[in-house]
Amino acid sequence: MATFSGTDRLRDLQAFDDTKAGVKGLVDAGVTAVPYFFRHHPDPLPIAAPSEAAAAILVIDLAKADVDRGHVVSQLASVALSHQRAVPSFVPARPTVRSSSRLTTRARPHMATVSGTDRLRDLHAFDDTKAGVKGLVDAGVTTVPYFFRHHPDPLPVAAPSEAAAAIPLIDLAKADVDRGRVVAEVRAAAETVGFFQVVNHGVAGELMEEMLAAVRRFHEEPLEAKVPYYTRDVASKVRFNSNFDLFRNGFRSPAANWRDTMFVEMFPEAPSPEEIPPPCRGVLEVYAAAVRRLGERLFELLSEALGLPVGYLGRDAGCRDGLSLSVAAHYYPACPEPEATMGATKHSDPSFLTVLLQDTSGGLQAVLPRPPEERWVCPRPCVPVVVGGGGARAAAVYRSTTAGEFLAHYNGKGLDGRSALDHFRIPAAAASPPPPPHLVPARDDAFAHLGSRRARARAHMATVSGTDCLRDLQAFDDTKAGVKGLVDAGVTAVPYFFRHHPDPLPVAAPSEAAAAIPLIDLAKADVDRGRVVAEVRTAAKTVGFFQVVNHGVDGELMDEMLAAVRRFNEEPLEAKVPYYTRDVASKVRFNSNFDLFRSPAANWRDTMFVEMFPDTPSPEEIPPPCRGVLEEYAAAVRRLGELLFELLSEALGLPAGYLGRDAGCTDGLSVAAHYYPACPEPEATMGATKHSDPSFLT
C-alpha cells in the first residue's frame, strides 16, 4: 500500500504504480475508500430493464450459417446498422453468452489465429508468426484475412494498346550517338508521365534473371531459414518482413498488402557476405553494382534534362553518393482471392530514383496522369521501369529538408496512396508566380549573384531571383540576418514571399474593442475569488482570451524585458549569428519565421526563442543583452501562470491545483521574443498572421 498525498496527482499515480501490486494490492492492504484518482463522475445514461436488455441484444446462431447463410448475414447487417444508431442506454449482456478469452496462437505451423474483432491483436498475431503472407498460403488459407482486403480501385485500367504507346521506351545505347535526343526523351517522360522504361541499359539479362531467381529461392526457403532475418528494425542492413507499414497501414489505410519483402541496404556500407541470405549471396552484390552504374547514367541524363551540369544530381547533390542504394525484393505468393486484395497499393517511393525489375508474371501498374482522366497502365514485363520525380510534381516547389526527416515522414505515413513529397510542398500562395520585377529591386549595390565572390554587396541582403521561391527562401535564411537584415540593406519594397493577401475580416472600432476584451483585476482574487473565477470562466467560454491587471509582474521589469529584446535584435549581425538556428532541440535559438519553408507567406518579424523551464539555460547560453532580466522575467511570468492555471482549474470545477500541478501544465515555459522591424510597405505584409498557439497558455 503506497502513501497518497491527495494533492499531487502525478506523484500519487507514480506511488501507486511503483507498488507493482495493482488494484488487488489496494484491496489486500484493506482500503476502505476508493482513492481519489479512481473516482468517476456518475454516468448520466440510464440502464435498461432486464426485460428490455434480453430483447435488445440479438443472439445469432452461427451454426445456421451452413443451412441458411442469407438469414445470418441479414441478422449481422441489422446489428451493424442499429449500432450506427446507438441507443442511448446501457444494456447488460446475458451472463450465459461468452466469448473465448484466448485462442490458440497458431492453428497451423505458419498460421495465426485471427479473432476478426481486434484488429491490432490480429495484426500482431500475424506478425508474430514471422512467416509473412507466404506462411498464410503454406497454412492453406482459402480466404483472404479481413485486414488484407481492399476496396475496389475506382481508376480504370488502360487497354494494352494504349499502355504500349503511353509508357516511353528509351534506348540508352543511343545516348552515345545522339545524346541530345535521349536527354529530350528523358525530359519529356519525366515531365508528362513521371516514369519510363529502358533498354540497352547495361544490366545483363542473365544477371536480372539470376536476381529474380535468387529472390524467389529466398522467399521459398523453409520458415526457420528466414526467421533470423525477420525484423522491423530499420537500422538493420538486411531485414525480412511483411508490410513495413503493417501497424500503420492497418489503421490509416484500408488494408495490408499481399506480399513479403527482403530489404538489403547495399550502399554506402554494404553488408558482409555472411549477413546476406545464402540464396542471394554473390548475385545480389553484382546486381546492385550494375544497377548503381545504371543509376549514375540516369542521374546524368536527368541532370542534363533539367539544364544542369551532367554530374549535378549524382555527384554534386549526392543522389548517388550521399545516401544509399537499397534493394527491396518483393514476393507475391499465390492468392486464394486475387480480386480481394493487392500486392502493392497506389504509392510513391521515397527514393530519388527507383529502378524496378518485374518478372514475366506481370501485374505491375502505374498511374498515367493524362487527360481525360487518370488510369492504370501495365508496363512491359522484364523491361526495367525507371520511376522518378513525377510529371504532376514537376512545377511544384518544396521546402528544404533532410533525408532523415523525409524518410521518417515516409515510414510514419506508410503506403497511404499519397506522395511523401506533399508534406514538404510549399503552398501555392507562396510558390505562385512572383510579383512584377519592380517589387524586388535588383540594384548592383544591394544584390549579388549567389556563389560569386561578391556573395553580399551589403552585409545582410541576399539575392532574390523572383522566380524560384524555394531558392529565394533559402538565400534569405542563409544570410542569418532575418528581416532586420533586409531593412538594414535598405529595401524599399517587401520581397514577394512576405506578401499577404488582404484579410477579409473587418476590424472593430476602438470603442467596441475596449468593451469586447475582458479586463480582469487579479488583485480581487484575494477578496472575492468566486467573482474572479466567474470572470475567467466567462472570458474563456465567450472570447478565448482576456487581459489582466495587478498581475504581480513589476512594470519596470516588463519595460526592461522589452528593452532587452530590442537591444538583442539591434545588435550587429556578427553578435546574433551564433544564436541563429532552426534546431528545435537548442535551448536558445534566433531565426526569422520558424515555419519559413511551410507557410503561405512569411511574417515580417524575427524571433529569439528561449526554453526557460524545466531545464533553464546557463547564463552563458543566454545572449548578453538579455542576461539577468530574462531569468527574472521568466520566473515572474511563471508565478503568474501558476495563478492563472489555478483560476482556470476552478473555472472548470476542478481543484485549484489540477491544471498547473496535477496535469503538469506549468512544467515547461518558453519565451518567444518577437521583433518587428520598420516596414517599407506595411500594407503588404503582416507581423503575425492569424493563428492559435500550441501552448497551454500564452
Side-chain angles (χ1 to χ4, degrees):
M1 181 63 181
T3 302
F4 299 132
S5 68
T7 57
D8 188 332
R9 188 183 187 90
L10 184 59
R11 183 186 132 194
D12 291 345
L13 289 170
Q14 193 66 58
F16 165 71
D17 196 49
D18 288 344
T19 65
K20 296 183 171 60
V23 174
K24 181 65 160 55
L26 297 176
V27 175
D28 291 345
V31 292
T32 55
V34 172
Y36 71 98
F37 48 80
F38 280 98
R39 292 178 177 269
H40 293 257
H41 294 293
D43 193 291
L45 292 182
I47 297 177
S51 57
E52 181 187 357
I57 301 178
L58 187 65
V59 177
I60 298 177
D61 186 349
L62 296 183
K64 291 182 179 177
D66 298 328
V67 181
D68 188 354
R69 192 176 187 88
H71 177 65
V72 174
V73 169
S74 66
Q75 285 182 307
L76 288 170
S78 68
V79 171
L81 290 172
S82 64
H83 178 67
Q84 293 174 0
R85 298 190 293 269
V87 180
S89 62
F90 286 132
V91 184
R94 297 183 184 88
T96 54
V97 179
R98 298 186 60 193
S99 62
S100 174
S101 61
R102 191 82 177 167
L103 295 176
T104 309
T105 306
R106 293 183 191 165
R108 298 192 186 181
H110 317 318
M111 179 66 181
T113 299
V114 176
S115 69
T117 57
D118 187 333
R119 190 181 187 93
L120 183 60
R121 180 187 138 192
D122 292 343
L123 290 172
H124 272 294
F126 165 72
D127 195 51
D128 288 344
T129 67
K130 296 183 168 58
V133 174
K134 181 67 161 56
L136 297 177
V137 175
D138 290 343
V141 292
T142 56
T143 58
V144 170
Y146 72 97
F147 50 81
F148 280 98
R149 292 183 172 268
H150 292 257
H151 296 294
D153 192 290
L155 290 185
V157 178
S161 57
E162 182 186 1
I167 301 176
L169 184 66
I170 298 177
D171 186 348
L172 295 185
K174 293 181 179 177
D176 299 328
V177 181
D178 188 352
R179 192 174 185 89
R181 178 181 172 184
V182 174
V183 167
E185 289 176 348
V186 169
R187 181 189 304 114
E191 284 184 346
T192 59
V193 184
F195 54 91
F196 51 91
Q197 291 186 271
V198 290
V199 293
N200 295 319
H201 40 68
V203 184
E206 289 184 0
L207 178 58
M208 293 191 294
E209 290 176 4
E210 288 176 19
M211 189 67 246
L212 290 171
V215 170
R216 193 175 297 109
R217 284 196 304 272
F218 169 77
H219 285 285
E220 294 177 357
E221 288 257 282
L223 177 59
E224 54 271 18
K226 296 185 291 183
V227 163
Y229 303 100
Y230 200 96
T231 180
R232 295 193 178 275
D233 180 4
V234 295
S236 178
K237 290 181 183 177
V238 181
R239 53 194 186 274
F240 160 61
N241 60 49
S242 181
N243 289 262
F244 79 93
D245 54 350
L246 180 68
F247 296 102
R248 293 178 289 275
N249 258 6
F251 299 99
R252 297 189 187 181
S253 75
N257 291 319
W258 192 261
R259 72 159 184 241
D260 302 327
T261 305
M262 175 185 66
F263 300 89
V264 187
E265 308 291 344
M266 292 302 296
F267 293 99
E269 296 179 13
S272 66
E274 295 73 25
E275 292 177 281
I276 296 174
C280 302
R281 283 180 198 163
V283 63
L284 178 59
E285 296 93 320
V286 177
Y287 176 76
V291 171
R292 191 163 190 258
R293 289 191 295 271
L294 171 58
E296 291 170 354
R297 294 179 65 189
L298 293 169
F299 278 127
E300 290 178 356
L301 293 169
L302 286 164
S303 295
E304 293 179 72
L306 288 166
L308 300 167
V310 66
Y312 184 83
L313 290 177
R315 184 184 60 245
D316 302 338
C319 296
R320 177 199 65 191
D321 300 326
L323 294 175
S324 65
L325 184 145
S326 305
V327 175
H330 300 303
Y331 180 81
Y332 307 90
C335 182
E337 295 180 282
E339 73 287 349
T341 188
M342 294 289 291
T345 43
K346 184 180 179 182
H347 68 280
S348 295
D349 286 342
S351 52
F352 287 117
L353 201 66
T354 297
V355 178
L356 196 152
L357 175 64
Q358 62 169 332
D359 62 14
T360 56
S361 301
L364 174 67
Q365 294 180 326
V367 173
L368 184 67
R370 283 184 179 174
E373 61 179 354
E374 287 188 340
R375 54 209 180 280
W376 291 106
V377 293
C378 302
R380 307 161 186 88
C382 299
V383 179
V385 180
V386 177
V387 183
R393 305 180 200 287
V397 179
Y398 303 90
R399 69 175 176 86
S400 63
T401 185
T402 64
E405 182 187 11
F406 180 81
L407 290 173
H409 170 66
Y410 179 85
N411 289 328
K413 80 179 189 67
L415 302 185
D416 58 0
R418 296 170 297 157
S419 170
L421 285 172
D422 292 343
H423 179 70
F424 303 92
R425 185 195 292 261
I426 293 176
S432 58
H438 72 273
L439 296 181
V440 188
R443 304 193 306 271
D444 288 339
D445 62 339
F447 292 82
H449 292 292
L450 292 176
S452 69
R453 289 182 180 275
R454 295 176 64 246
R456 296 181 194 158
R458 293 193 182 185
H460 318 319
M461 185 65 184
T463 298
V464 176
S465 69
T467 58
D468 187 334
C469 186
L470 181 59
R471 180 188 139 192
D472 293 343
L473 289 171
Q474 194 67 59
F476 165 71
D477 196 49
D478 287 344
T479 66
K480 296 182 169 59
V483 175
K484 182 67 160 57
L486 297 177
V487 175
D488 290 344
V491 293
T492 57
V494 170
Y496 71 98
F497 49 82
F498 280 97
R499 292 182 172 267
H500 292 256
H501 295 294
D503 192 293
L505 291 183
V507 178
S511 57
E512 181 185 0
I517 302 177
L519 184 66
I520 298 177
D521 185 348
L522 296 183
K524 293 181 179 177
D526 297 328
V527 181
D528 189 351
R529 192 174 184 92
R531 178 182 172 183
V532 173
V533 167
E535 290 176 349
V536 168
R537 181 189 302 113
T538 301
K541 277 185 174 180
T542 58
V543 185
F545 53 89
F546 50 89
Q547 292 185 273
V548 290
V549 293
N550 294 319
H551 41 66
V553 183
D554 186 75
E556 289 185 3
L557 178 58
M558 294 192 293
D559 291 341
E560 288 176 20
M561 187 67 247
L562 291 170
V565 170
R566 193 174 297 109
R567 284 196 303 272
F568 169 77
N569 281 281
E570 295 176 357
E571 288 258 282
L573 177 60
E574 54 271 19
K576 295 185 290 184
V577 162
Y579 303 100
Y580 200 97
T581 180
R582 294 192 178 276
D583 181 3
V584 294
S586 178
K587 290 182 185 176
V588 181
R589 52 194 187 274
F590 161 62
N591 60 48
S592 181
N593 289 261
F594 78 93
D595 56 350
L596 180 67
F597 298 99
R598 294 186 294 276
S599 61
N603 290 321
W604 193 261
R605 74 163 183 236
D606 302 326
T607 304
M608 175 184 67
F609 300 88
V610 186
E611 307 292 343
M612 292 301 296
F613 294 100
D615 296 320
T616 306
S618 66
E620 294 73 24
E621 292 178 281
I622 296 173
C626 301
R627 283 178 197 164
V629 62
L630 178 59
E631 296 94 320
E632 187 178 351
Y633 175 76
V637 170
R638 192 162 189 252
R639 289 191 294 271
L640 171 58
E642 290 170 350
L643 173 58
L644 292 170
F645 277 124
E646 288 180 1
L647 295 170
L648 285 164
S649 295
E650 293 177 62
L652 289 166
L654 299 168
Y658 184 84
L659 290 176
R661 183 183 61 244
D662 300 339
C665 295
T666 56
D667 290 347
L669 185 143
S670 305
V671 175
H674 300 303
Y675 179 80
Y676 306 90
C679 181
E681 295 180 282
E683 74 287 348
T685 188
M686 293 289 290
T689 44
K690 184 179 178 182
H691 68 281
S692 294
D693 285 343
S695 53
F696 288 118
L697 199 68
T698 298

